[in-house]
Amino acid sequence: MENLLANSSEPRTQPVALHGAVLRLTDIEKVYQTKTIETVALNRVNLTINRGEFVSIMGPSGCGKSTLLSLMGLLDEPTSGVIEVDGRAVTSFSDRELAGLRNLKIGFVFQSYHLINDLSVVDNVEVPLLYRPGMGSKERRKRAVDALDKVGLSARTGHFPSQLSGGQRQRVAIARALAGGPEIILADEPTGNLDSVMGEEIMGLLLDLNRQEGVTVVMVTHDEHQALKTERVIRFFDGSQVG
Amino acid sequence: MLLSYLKIAWKVLMRRKFFTFINLFGVSFTLMILLVVMAMFDQLTGNHAPEKRNDRMLFISRITEKMRGEDGWMMNPVSSYFTDTYVRPMHTPALVGLTSIVSNATAFTSNKLLPLDVRYTDGNFWQIMEFDFRSGRGLTGAEVKQAAPVCVLNEATALTYFGTTTDVVGREIEIDLKRYRVAGVVANVAAAHLFSYADVWLPCTLSKDYGGAGRLEGSFIPILLAPSAGQVQAVRDEYQQVMARVPISDPKHITNLYSNADPIMASISRELMPMKHGLDGDGLAQFYLICTALALLFMLLPALNLVNLNVTRILERSAEIGVRKAFGATGTHLVSQFLVENVVLAVVGGLLGLGLAAGALALVNESHVLAYANFALSGSVFGWALVLALAFGLMSGVYPAWKMSRLNPVAALRGSGEQK
């Protein structure tokens, strides 16, 4: 398996393919309601993410970026509006169907990695494959090792998260997101906890994944510099798309 | 997937050693007590020598007379006259044996006084019970009929009195100033065997209570051996018909007579359950129900404690739950994972409890609280230990697991315990 890190410094090429919308959000509203107060987190958002795109979402804290990412990742339900994945509206999907869809189509990368400390690196990467019906342990292990190979950590399979640096942990998290062969990777400030050198390394990895594997990437970031490396920047302010 | 669950279960248990210790202590201590009780119960009611045919044996442990004009009851063992007149002529039992309740006697060795528990029996008793003979034989019908001065000793008495257990048969022992020839020596019988235990067994015809013409009450317990376990009920039914024919000796004072031929458990439940004089069954079902309820209640308290600890533990692991949900785990996956973790803990606790129970039983056996106690963990007790451990694991795991599966993934990833 090709090591993507090795190519991260090369000039960018065009995305592999653009075959229509992989994610479409129509008239999405998300309102958080307590007894006394109603907070509009997202206000009539219309957004299409095309297959093979690398999109970054920017905006100040509290503008609804992470809420948007949760909705795109089918981790949360909108108050109103329609989310379509591969052209299918998921509004009426049961929890079980949503879980299945997440497992097959979506990989997550979090700012604070969220690795399971009790599991070794390779066991962490296997987590999405545990929920893949009918997949045996050998196949899981092979895919996990392949994914770790892609992020340049195949030598660390037996390590535990506590034995790795921040950058390495995020690479494990990316390998985990990749292991299930998702169409979309949703990254919530993936470089937010890293210094600039490691941040560049992770960004390069995501760019290469997008470019070479054709994986659609949606990244929430505060970092203008990183955002500008992506094909499209969507800006949010107070729950609304402003650019 | 199970391997992965087991792996993480083990890691989690090892990581939180104090939590694991508290959990294991709760589980193993509770199970230890339940297993000790079960082992005692098993000894009491299981098919162990000499009561190897417990499934076919019925005991007439008392006759109850209801007194006229007051709420009084007289409860006594029956007489040998009652046995000979009403029980022995029964058709359904394969054998009718007789034993007395245990009485005290004394023997003197060269240097000390030897208190003994004596039981008077007939010849059939030795055919119904299966004693473990070290030497010699049991009492014969002919010896009993002739009121021959013979006896059977247990090993401990033979050893204390003669200083040996071999070459004792044929020698004489003096008990309460009377001399008896030893017919046989048997392995010690634990006092838990209510209807066979003794230090010395003598012919029933030598008992001062033997006979008692016309009297129903005495100091004897007839033992009926059904031809097969399936015919136990037929024997019980016939005994009821017999009881209906027994005349009341003193109608002025007594209005009704009740007596039952009960299997070992029913004879115990009839003693323990209040006012079961044959009017409304032997109370066995209620007895089992109460025992089960008590056992569950006993397990419930530590289980609730575990539930509480588990719920807290889940909140600590909310990020893991969030990650698993994000990557496609369904509620069922998470419930199974958590139940596996809890059941692993409970089974480890169960095994520890089994070890503790074995230790506790050894202590009870050593302490001589109960004469010749030889409580042991049988295969069935081991099986029960596993069943109880699993029940414990499930009882304390289901609610926290369900709560875990309901965590909102977004909130879980933020580390808060918000529910869906």
Side-chain angles (χ1 to χ4, degrees), chain A residues 13-233:
Chain A
T13 53
Q14 286 301 307
V16 171
L18 276 171
H19 296 301
V22 65
L23 258 178
R24 177 173 284 130
L25 281 69
T26 312
D27 283 339
I28 292 294
E29 271 194 338
K30 182 69 186 177
V31 180
Y32 292 106
Q33 197 145 16
T34 64
K35 277 179 188 165
T36 52
I37 200 161
E38 191 179 87
T39 311
V40 180
L42 290 174
N43 185 20
R44 300 187 76 79
V45 173
N46 288 287
L47 190 61
T48 301
I49 308 291
N50 292 313
R51 197 177 303 280
E53 261 192 316
F54 195 145
V55 178
S56 53
I57 299 173
M58 290 203 71
S61 292
C63 70
K65 308 185 296 289
S66 294
T67 303
L68 182 72
L69 209 67
S70 299
L71 292 175
M72 285 179 169
L74 314 178
L75 295 174
D76 209 351
E77 289 170 14
T79 310
S80 65
V82 178
I83 301 172
E84 289 169 72
V85 178
D86 273 346
R88 282 201 302 170
V90 300
T91 319
S92 59
F93 276 32
S94 66
D95 280 356
R96 182 175 288 272
E97 286 170 318
L98 288 174
L101 207 55
R102 280 199 296 273
N103 182 259
L104 277 177
K105 304 257 181 197
I106 303 170
F108 294 88
V109 179
F110 306 101
Q111 180 179 358
S112 45
Y113 330 125
H114 284 321
L115 298 178
I116 300 171
N117 289 325
D118 290 316
L119 295 181
S120 68
V121 161
V122 71
D123 284 338
N124 261 290
V125 176
E126 274 189 29
V127 164
L129 305 174
L130 288 177
Y131 308 117
R132 193 65 57 93
M135 187 178 287
S137 58
K138 279 185 185 164
E139 171 74 6
R140 282 204 301 267
R141 184 52 55 114
K142 183 182 172 298
R143 286 208 192 188
V145 171
D146 284 351
L148 281 167
D149 198 27
K150 282 184 192 173
V151 300
L153 279 178
S154 53
R156 304 282 170 113
T157 52
H159 283 59
F160 282 85
S162 58
Q163 297 169 310
L164 303 178
S165 71
Q168 287 172 326
R169 287 185 210 187
Q170 195 60 299
R171 276 152 64 187
V172 175
I174 291 172
R176 176 177 64 187
L178 274 180
E183 290 179 23
I184 316 157
I185 285 186
L186 300 176
D188 192 358
E189 303 199 40
T191 61
N193 278 9
L194 302 174
D195 64 32
S196 58
V197 175
M198 286 198 179
E200 287 297 332
E201 190 182 296
I202 293 300
M203 192 60 201
L205 193 53
L206 289 173
L207 283 165
D208 285 346
L209 276 177
N210 169 251
R211 191 177 59 210
Q212 292 176 9
E213 309 271 318
V215 180
T216 309
V217 183
V218 179
M219 175 178 77
V220 162
T221 182
H222 272 111
D223 190 334
E224 188 80 38
H225 170 67
Q226 304 289 21
L228 287 175
K229 291 181 184 170
T230 64
E231 290 158 35
R232 183 152 66 111
V233 181

Side-chain angles (χ1 to χ4, degrees), chain B residues 401-417:
Chain B
W402 177 79
K403 207 171 161 65
M404 177 193 223
S405 72
R406 298 276 301 162
L407 279 179
N408 177 309
V410 179
L413 284 166
R414 275 203 306 266
S416 79

